[in-house]
Every structure is written in C-alpha cells, then in structure tokens.
Amino acid sequence: MPFATRVTGDEAVLVLTGTCTRGEMPALRDELLRLRHQGLVLDLAGVTSLDTAFLQLVCAAGQTWTQDGCAFQLSGLSPELAQLVRLSGFDLAC
C-alpha cells in the first residue's frame, strides 16, 4: 500500500493506493501518528482491496481525531469497497 501525504496549513491529505491489509498497517499507523493533531482527509480513491485490520485502524483514527477536536474525513471509497465495508459490519463514520 503505497501512500503519499500532502500537508497544507493545518490539514493533511493522506492518499492511499493499492491493497490495504494487515501487512501494511505498521507504516500507516506510524504515518497517522505523525499527522495527529491536525485535520486529516484520508483519500481512498486508489484503494483496490482492504481487510478488517485496515478498517479497525481507520475507525480508531476517526475516533482519535474526533476526541482531539480535529477534522477527520474519508473520501473516494469506491462503491464496491463501500459495500464490502457495510457487509463486514463496519461503519466508517466511526
């Protein structure tokens, strides 16, 4: 899962591409920790597959950003992956 980060002012955009699975979570977790305490847009338009480890990390990040009083937004999730997320029982609005 390659990713790229753009920071402008007090907001960051983290662009993810490819497969987002357990093996990629340590690098993503580290990047999320680095970006904490500023607004974050997680751009998922380039994500082709994901697993529950990724969904858990995204939900935890969303909760953390909310507790910190910072904006957290998901963008670009394909309809197919959004359906998979719903069928898995996750609510990415967490």
Side-chain angles (χ1 to χ4, degrees), residues 4-94:
T5 305
R6 294 186 317 266
V7 178
T8 55
D10 61 350
E11 180 179 84
V13 177
L14 182 56
V15 180
L16 304 176
T17 58
T19 301
C20 297
T21 58
R22 180 176 309 277
E24 291 85 17
M25 291 309 96
L28 179 57
R29 183 191 63 239
D30 291 347
E31 184 67 358
L32 288 169
L33 289 171
R34 189 181 75 77
L35 298 172
R36 192 168 172 188
H37 302 295
Q38 59 187 317
L40 179 64
V41 176
L42 199 55
D43 183 344
L44 306 174
V47 173
T48 55
S49 65
L50 48 80
D51 68 4
T52 56
F54 173 77
L55 296 174
Q56 290 170 336
L57 181 60
V58 169
C59 283
Q63 291 169 347
T64 298
W65 261 250
T66 299
Q67 290 169 354
D68 289 348
C70 296
F72 183 85
Q73 178 184 349
L74 299 177
S75 71
L77 188 61
S78 73
E80 296 81 13
L81 289 180
Q83 177 68 10
L84 177 63
V85 169
R86 284 190 294 280
L87 290 173
S88 297
F90 282 88
D91 177 5
L92 288 183
C94 45

